[in-house]
Amino acid sequence: MILEVLGSAALGLVLAFAAAHRLPHRLPPRPLVFATAVAGALFGDFVTHSALGPAPVLLTLLGAAVVSAASLSLLLRPAGRLRRRSAPA
């Protein structure tokens, strides 16, 4: 179980590094990205392990990766500036 948690945290770090390397202009500061990815991976591991019980480790790591990626996607900012025009009267 300890290795499962450590694997999930490592998976979160890998996803955070990949996101911070690929999309640095669309993400907040790196410490927030890394913390969010690791917390999302640990939470995803917890939820998957709670739902499936003693399932194979690959399934719980998959759940951790999905929740971590979803958490990182919530941090993304729009690519360009949005121009908002007022509605015609």
Side-chain angles (χ1 to χ4, degrees):
M1 181 131 169
I2 297 290
L3 291 177
E4 186 177 322
V5 171
L6 290 175
S8 296
L11 183 64
L13 285 174
V14 168
L15 286 172
F17 180 76
H21 181 69
R22 185 150 172 90
L23 301 166
H25 58 284
R26 293 185 60 194
L27 288 170
R30 281 186 177 225
L32 180 62
V33 172
F34 281 93
T36 302
V38 171
L42 292 175
F43 182 69
D45 181 47
F46 170 72
V47 168
T48 307
H49 189 77
S50 297
L52 299 178
V57 176
L58 290 177
L59 286 177
T60 56
L61 288 178
L62 179 66
V66 167
V67 175
S68 180
S71 299
L72 284 175
S73 74
L74 295 174
L75 295 177
L76 287 175
R77 293 185 219 144
R81 292 188 174 206
L82 298 175
R83 289 186 181 184
R84 295 186 182 199
R85 297 181 183 193
S86 60

